[in-house]
Structure formats: structure tokens, C-alpha cells
Amino acid sequence: MFCDAQNKLLDDFISFEIMNAEIFDLGTKILYLERAIRQDRQTFLKSLDKLYNPKLGNMEKRMNIKFILTLQLINDICFDSPIESNEPNTTVVKVHHFESPSADIQLNAHTLIKNIIHQKISEPSKFNKNEITVQKQNRVNDEAGIKRQIGWRTKKNLTLAKAALQTPYFQAMQTQQFEMNTVKELNGALTEKQYQQLPDPIKQIIATNPQSTYRLIQEHGATFDHIQAITEQDLKQLFDHCYDIAQLINRGNITINDLLTIERSIRTELINRSSDVVQFIHQGNMTLDDLLAIEQSVRTELLNYAYDVVQLLSKKALTFNELLALKKNIRIEFLNYSSDVAQLLNTNHINLVDLLSLKQSIRIELFNYSCVVTKILSDGSIKLSDFLSLKKSSRIELFHHSYDAVRLLNQGNITLTELLAISPSIRTELINCSHAAVRLLKEGRVTLDDLSKIKQPIRTELLNRSEDVVQLLSKKIMNIDDLISLDQSTRTEIINCSHAVIKLINNTNITLDDLLNLEHHTRSELINRSHNIVRLLKNADIILNDLLKLESFTQSEICNRSLDVVRLLKETNIVLDDLLRLELSTRSEFLNRSSDVVRLLRGTGITLDDLLKFDGLTRSELFNRSHDIARLLKETNMVFDNLLTLEQPTRSEFFNRSHDVIRLLKETNITLDDLLKLKQSIRSEFLNHSDSVVNLLNDDNISFNQLLSLPLLQLHNVLILNES
């Protein structure tokens, strides 16, 4: 709907543009006003065509077209008609000019304009009714002979149409509608009455920034009093920096009232540095009052170093007052090294007074190596005063090798004085090899004095092989003096083979002296074969001297086959001399078949001499069938001689069917002689169907002789039937 102010403006517009126009008489004006509110657009346009006179001069023609376009506008407003313009989209006139798509405007406009026009017509009609009636009739009569002219509708005249709409009355109507829409966009942040009370420049800024205005009032807490009192420049600043304002208010605990009451220059600085201000307040535990109390140049300086200030304050290295109390050059120095300053002051071994008392060059040195200094001081190995009393070269050496130096001091149980007392070359070597040095000092129980006195090549060797050296020293195989006293090659051999040496000494009766007294190649062989040597000496009751007396080849064979040697000596009655007196090929055979030899000799009554009586082929057969032979001898009454007297086919059959032979002999009354007397075919039936034979002889009261009396085929069927 049009507001009251718009109604008044529309009334004045009709009066000025229509009723006061001098180019037509009053009757013609009233006739066309009546048509404007009664005729649809197309019909009214045809009427307007007869008002246009192209023969008029320039001034008169312009007034003629303006009069026509004003009537057209009234008709368009009344019927909410689509308008013609150069814009890409066609809109209805009230949406286009009044920026309101509201449906109730159309319902209201026709009635409103009719009322206004009727009022305009009725006033002069009271005094000149007859004259007006005559003028209207004359116009109707004249129109019958007037040809329609559409030249006023050309594009050229759109410019004139636009100019006609820019009258003070029409512009005022648009302004009224614009302000109504602005208030609506503010969504309750300001009432229409409050908005109207604001100065025009403020209203204009608000109208172009409705969303920012809404946030300023509804989200940031600005009141109508703030808006009334604010200057145009300040309001623009708030809107141009809406993100910064939101930062300060939401994260900086600053109110809009705080921002509007401080000086503009300070506010501008806070807004332009909003992120830094928020850092100060949010992370540095400062307030706005703290910031405002600072001198402007200092505040700018601190904002420029916002991150560094927060580093110092948030880590509680300094208080804000302590920071402000510093001289400018020292404060800048502290801010440039903020992380390092915070790290040093948080060690509890250095304080602000200590730092300020130092020369700048030393202070910068500490800052540049803050991690190192912190590590050294925190471990308690070195006091700050001791550290600073060192020569710069010594300090730099500790800086560059701090972790190694601290490791030596802490884990090696030595003092800084002791470390600095040794020669620089030895100190450098120990620092560079700190892991190895600590291992020797701590686990090998070597002293710093010991390491210092050892000649450089030997010390380097001990450090490089520290793990092996520690093994020898910690297992008490030897002490550091013993190790150093060895010749180079022996020491290297003992260190390189430390695990083998320890194994030989700890698991046998061999002593370090025994090893050292051996010739180099013999010792090397023992060390290289330590695992086998330990097995022989520990499990086979062999003594080292017996082993060393053997020929080299035999000794190697015994060592290489130590597992088989131990098995033969430990699990049978064979002794080492028995093995040694065997021919090489036979001994190799026995070692290769040690499991079979043990199986044949253990619990069977077979002796080593028995096995040695046979030729290689027969012995090989016995080894291959050792499992079956052992079973037959242990689980039946058979003896080894019985097996040997059997013919080869029969012996092989007994070996292959040892399980069935044992069953028949153990679970029935059949004897070995019975089996041997059987024909081969009958014996094969008995062995192939041993389960049936056992069942028949034990359960069915059938005798062995009865089974033998059956023909072979019938015997076979009986055994098969019993199985099924």
C-alpha cells in the first residue's frame, strides 16, 4: 500500500502535471483523467495517440509529450501495467518505480487514484460545470476527425518519458517507498519512526548497508542513541571494517560502546590491527584498558610484535609490566627472540635479572643457542655461572655438541670440570662418540682417566667396538688393562669375536689364558667353531686337550659334525676313541646315519662290533630299516642273530611288515618258527590280513592249524569275510 506521505505526493503530482498544464482546456484534461482510470492500457493508448500533435514547435511538442506520458503513467499506476524500458526484463510500473511487488498496491492504487481524480474534477466542476461539459463534448466531437499519431511512442521519446518521471513529486514518492523498504530490510533493528529521525547522510549509509546495520545493532549491541550520535565518517568506518569489528567484539571482549567512545585515531588503529589486538587480549591476558593506557608509540610497537608479545606473556616468561619497563632497545631485542627468551626464562636456572646483567653479545649468543642452553641448564650438569665462565671456544664446542656433552656429563657420571680438564682432541673424540664413551664409562666401568691415558689408536678401536668391549669387561672375562696389554692382532680378534670368546669361557673349562696361549690359527679355529666346541666339551665329556691332539682334518670333521658326535657318544656306549679308530669312510657313514645308529644300538642288544662285521651294503640296509629292526627286536622275542639268518626276501618281508609281524607274535599263539615254516604265499595272506587272523584265533575258537588246513583261496575268502 502507498503510505500517507505517498498519497499526498501523488495528489500534488496530479495537480501540478495535469490540472496546471496550459496546453489543453479544463474539459479535455478532465475527459482524459476519467479515461485514465477507466480504460485499459491498450484502449487508453489509442486515446492518447489523438492528443499528440507532431506539428507543434519544439517547446510546445515537449510539453505535449510530457502531458501524454503523465496521463499514461497514471493509467499504468492505476492498472499496474507492464512498462516499456531499455532494461532487459519487463516489470510492472509499481515494482519498477516503487520497488514493491506487493499485491495489495494494485488493489489500493485504482481506488486511490480514482478518489484523487474525482476530487480534482469535482472542485472546478462546482463553478464551471456547464462550460466543462461543453468542452468535453467538443473534444469528443473533434476526435472523430483527428487522425491517430503514434510518433510520441518512439524510442527517441523514451528519454522524454524518463525525464517526465523525474519530477520532484515522483522522486519524492520513490524516496518514500525506498525508505519503507530499507526499514523492512533492517528487520526490526530500527523502527520507521527512528529511521525518519536520522539525518539524511546517515539514512543514506544505512540504506546501502542494511545487513551491516542489522548486525551492528542486533549482534554487536549498538543502540539507537549510538546511531543518532555517530558521525557519517565513523559509521562508514564501522561498516567498511565489519569483519574487524566482529573480531574485536566477539573475540576481544570489547563492546561497541568501548569502540565508539575512544578517540577515532585509536579506534582506527585497533580496527586496522584487530587480529593483533585479539591476540593480545585473548592469549596475552590483557584488557582494553591495558592497551589504552600504553603510550601510542609503544602500543604501535607492541602491535607490530603482537605474536612475540603473546609468546612472552602466554608462556609467563615475563609480565606485561616487566615488558613495558624494559628499555626500548632491549625490549625490541627480547621481542625479536621471543621464543628463545621464553625458553630460557622458563628453565628455573636463569631469570630476567641474570639476562639483563649480561653483555648484549653474550645474551644474543644464549638466544641463538637457547635450546642447547636450556638442555644444559635443565639437566643440572652445569650452572649458568660456570657455563658463562668458559672460554667462548669451549662454549661454542658445547653448543655444537650439546646433546653429546650433556649425555657424557649425565650418563657418564663425570663433571664439567673433568671434561674440560682433558686435552681438546680427546674431549672432541669422546663428545663425537658420546654413546660409545658413555657405554664404556657406565657399563664397562672404565674411568675417564683410563680413557684419557689410552693411546689414540687403541682408544678409537675401543670406542668403535664399545659394545663388544663392554661385553668382555662386564662379563668379567678381562679388565681394561688386560685388553690394552694385548698385541694389536690378538686384541682385535678377541674384540671382534667377543661373543664367541665369552661363550667358550663361560660354558666350558677353557680359560682366557688357555685361549691366549694357543697359536693364532688354532685359537681362530676354536673361536670360529665356538658353538660346536661348546657342544662337544659340555655335552660329550670331551676335554680340550683331546680335541687339540687330533689331526687337523679329523678335528674339523669332529667339530663340523658335533651334533652327530654328541648324539653317538651320549646316547650309545660308543666313546670318542671308538669313533677315532674307525676308518674315515665308516666314521663318516656312522656320523651321517647317527640317528639310525643310535636307534639300532639303544635297547636292542646290538653292539658296535655287530654293525662293523657287515659289509657296507648290508649295513646300509640295516640303517635304512633301523626303525623296523628296533621295533622287531624290542617288541618280540626275536634276536638280532635270528634276523641275520633269514633269507633276504624273508628278511625284507619282515622289515616291510614289521607291524603285522609284531601283532601276530604278540596277540596270538603263533611263534616265529610258525611264521618261518609257512609257505611264502600263506605267510603273505597272514601278514596282509593280520587283523582278521588275530580276530579269528582269539574270538572264534579257530586254531592256527585249522586255518592252515584251508586251501589258499578259501583261506583268503575267510580272512576277507572276517574283515568285512
Side-chain angles (χ1 to χ4, degrees), residues 472 478 486 490-498 501 516 527:
L472 292 168
M478 59 198 328
L486 298 176
T490 304
R491 183 174 55 250
T492 300
E493 181 183 30
I494 294 296
I495 290 173
N496 289 341
C497 302
S498 61
V501 171
L516 296 177
I527 288 173

Side-chain angles (χ1 to χ4, degrees), residues 684-698:
S684 294
E685 284 293 330
F686 272 57
L687 292 175
N688 289 337
H689 303 286
S690 61
D691 288 341
S692 295
V693 173
V694 170
N695 290 335
L696 289 170
L697 295 180
N698 289 336

